[in-house]
């Protein structure tokens, strides 16, 4: 009967949707899946769907999972989000980042940034123990900055000591990236401040 067919169709669609969502959640790190937010599930589902449609992307993001997705305020009328992922995937992600960023921004309706997860290692008091340069606060902040502005390239950084003792950071991006990056500069500033607690201003190398 028509009623039976409708029930069967509904059951099939529900089963298919459940299977797809179950597969997509593997794009979120295992320890975080139970606490995943709606935003994180949406990002995971979008990445999974993209991989199903592209063999090249599927190969590039094989084994890839996100750590978390955090939304932040750029202004009273503008929101953006940062997708955090394991550092070991940084080369793979940057090869396809432009493509997946465009798709996610269209899906979410906001600017999306990808930042590899890093940890600052505190100075050890033990004699003879040194901190790896890549884990110093300075190195981590520099790497985070490069992730935030990617695919734009950082050409120069200038730090000026102000009279009140504070430091002012001015970052110059490559002028060839100006058309794409100009409208995102406020997002870069807000993201860097959120992740490092420090202020920054951006310009382009031709303005230096």
């Amino acid at each position: 009967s028509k009623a039976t067919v409708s029930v069967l169709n509904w059951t099939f669609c529900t089963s298919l949707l459940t299977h797809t969502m179950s597969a997509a959640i593997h794009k979120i790190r295992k320890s975080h899946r139970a606490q995943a937010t709606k935003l994180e599930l949406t990002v995971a589902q979008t990445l999974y769907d993209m991989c199903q449609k592209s063999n090249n992307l599927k190969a590039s993001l094989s084994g890839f999972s996100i750590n978390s997705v955090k939304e932040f305020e750029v202004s009273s009328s503008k929101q953006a989000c940062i997708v955090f992922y394991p550092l070991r995937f940084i080369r793979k992600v940057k090869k396809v980042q432009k493509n997946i960023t465009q798709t996610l921004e269209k899906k979410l309706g906001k600017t999306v940034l990808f930042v590899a997860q890093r940890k600052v290692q505190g100075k050890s008091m033990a004699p003879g123990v040194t901190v790896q340069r890549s884990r110093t606060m300075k190195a981590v902040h520099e790497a985070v900055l490069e992730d935030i502005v990617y695919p734009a390239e950082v050409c120069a950084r200038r730090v000026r000591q102000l009279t009140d003792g504070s430091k002012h950071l001015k970052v110059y991006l490559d002028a060839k990236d100006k058309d794409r990056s100009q409208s995102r500069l406020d997002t870069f500033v807000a993201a860097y401040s959120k992740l490092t607690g420090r202020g920054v201003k951006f310009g382009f190398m031709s303005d230096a």
Side-chain angles (χ1 to χ4, degrees):
S1 67
K2 290 184 178 181
T4 302
V5 171
S6 297
V7 170
L8 289 174
N9 285 339
W10 181 85
T11 303
F12 173 76
C13 290
T14 302
S15 176
L16 183 62
L17 179 60
T18 301
H19 172 74
T20 302
M21 292 180 68
S22 177
I25 205 169
H26 284 83
K27 289 298 181 187
I28 301 175
R29 66 183 170 89
K30 189 174 182 179
S31 61
H32 187 64
R33 289 172 192 166
Q35 295 81 32
T37 65
K38 183 178 179 181
L39 178 59
E40 289 164 344
L41 290 172
T42 299
V43 170
Q45 184 68 58
T46 304
L47 291 173
Y48 174 80
D49 291 343
M50 291 180 69
C51 288
Q52 297 309 299
K53 295 175 182 177
S54 168
N55 289 331
N56 289 336
L57 194 58
K58 189 173 185 178
S60 297
L61 296 182
S62 175
F64 174 75
S65 61
I66 61 175
N67 286 343
S68 61
V69 182
K70 302 298 182 183
E71 192 172 29
F72 64 98
E73 186 178 89
V74 177
S75 67
S76 59
S77 60
K78 186 176 182 180
Q79 299 284 322
C81 64
I82 301 173
V83 178
F84 294 97
Y85 64 93
L87 182 59
R88 67 181 183 275
F89 289 111
I90 191 166
R91 290 186 180 179
K92 288 185 174 182
V93 169
K94 289 195 172 180
K95 286 181 180 179
V96 297
Q97 188 169 327
K98 184 177 180 180
N99 183 14
I100 59 180
T101 297
Q102 288 176 342
T103 301
L104 282 170
E105 289 184 342
K106 184 177 180 180
K107 177 74 174 180
L108 301 175
K110 63 189 69 177
T111 302
V112 176
L113 306 176
F114 279 81
V115 174
Q117 201 91 50
R118 300 174 178 85
K119 288 184 178 180
V120 175
Q121 183 178 342
K123 294 182 179 179
S124 175
M125 300 300 291
V129 177
T130 58
V131 178
Q132 293 180 22
R133 187 194 174 283
S134 62
R135 292 196 173 187
T136 63
M137 182 178 291
K138 180 181 179 181
V140 169
H141 286 185
E142 287 177 351
V144 165
L145 175 66
E146 291 175 358
D147 283 356
I148 287 172
V149 304
Y150 189 84
E153 296 179 13
V154 175
C155 293
R157 298 178 178 88
R158 293 179 182 175
V159 179
R160 186 175 64 182
Q161 189 88 25
L162 302 182
T163 54
D164 62 0
S166 62
K167 294 181 179 180
H168 174 80
L169 175 63
K170 181 68 178 285
V171 175
Y172 293 93
L173 305 178
D174 196 315
K176 67 180 175 59
D177 301 309
K178 188 171 184 177
D179 288 344
R180 182 182 185 278
S181 301
Q182 185 75 58
S183 63
R184 303 167 74 88
L185 294 183
D186 57 345
T187 302
F188 295 165
V189 170
Y192 187 76
S193 176
K194 182 175 180 63
L195 296 181
T196 68
R198 298 183 176 184
V200 62
K201 288 187 177 181
F202 289 95
F204 294 91
M205 204 58 203
S206 59
D207 301 329

